[in-house]
Amino acid sequence: MPLKADLDAIDWKILRELQQDGRMTNVELSGRVGISAPPCLRRVRRLEETGIIRGYRALLNAPALGMDVVAFCLIGLHHQADAELKTFAERTRGWPIVRDAWMVSGESDFLLHCVASDLGTFQTFVIEELASAPNVDTVRTALTIRRVKDEGLMAFNGVRP
C-alpha cells in the first residue's frame, strides 16, 4: 500500500516520539529527533494540520477508576445495506460503555470494545441495549482476562514501519 503522506525520516522520528510521550516539550522533542526547536514545531504543526496527528489524550487506568470489566462484542445485523450499517454505527456513539467500534468483514458486521464497572452492568447493557437494538441479529461476547499488550497504533521498526 503506498504511503498517503509525504514524510521524511525526521517526521517519522517525531511521530514515534510523540506516540510514546505526547506531553514532552517541543525542546525535548527537537533534541530527541536531532533538529532545532523552531523547525521541529513547524513539522509538528504540519503533521497536526494534515491530520496525521489527530490529537492527544491521557491514557487512563480503567481498573483504578473502578472499571473492571473489559469485553468485546461481535455484532451481526439482519440487513447490511449501507443505511443500516450507518444507523448501527451511529447508535454505538450513544452507548458510553462502548469505547471503540469497528465495522468488520466476515461472519460479524461490527466489533465493539466495551468497558464497564462490573459484570452486571455489562450484562444489562448486552441484554437491554445491544441485543434489543433494531436490526441486531446476533451478539457474541468475549470477556477479557488480562491485557497482554498495550502499544501505540503504529509500530516503528527503524525509522518507518
Side-chain angles (χ1 to χ4, degrees), residues 21-96:
D21 181 4
R23 292 188 64 186
M24 77 176 72
T25 67
N26 182 58
V27 171
E28 183 178 349
L29 177 62
S30 67
R32 287 187 185 188
V33 300
I35 61 176
S36 64
C40 185
L41 184 58
R42 284 193 296 274
R43 284 173 178 263
V44 171
R45 286 188 176 144
R46 180 178 53 84
L47 292 166
E48 292 169 345
E49 290 166 1
T50 59
I52 292 170
I53 296 176
R54 296 185 307 130
Y56 302 89
R57 293 182 178 179
L59 301 175
L60 306 180
N61 181 335
L65 297 169
M67 304 303 280
D68 293 322
V69 175
V70 177
F72 290 90
C73 300
L74 288 162
I75 311 303
L77 302 180
H78 288 290
H79 308 286
Q80 292 81 22
D82 191 51
E84 283 86 358
L85 294 169
K86 287 178 180 176
T87 297
F88 185 82
E90 184 61 33
R91 178 169 275 111
T92 66
R93 291 179 182 92
W95 290 326

Side-chain angles (χ1 to χ4, degrees), residues 86-116:
K86 287 178 180 176
T87 297
F88 185 82
E90 184 61 33
R91 178 169 275 111
T92 66
R93 291 179 182 92
W95 290 326
I97 201 169
V98 176
R99 304 314 305 154
D100 289 299
W102 294 267
M103 187 181 301
V104 297
S105 63
E107 293 182 24
S108 298
D109 299 304
F110 287 88
L111 173 65
L112 309 181
H113 171 215
C114 301
V115 178

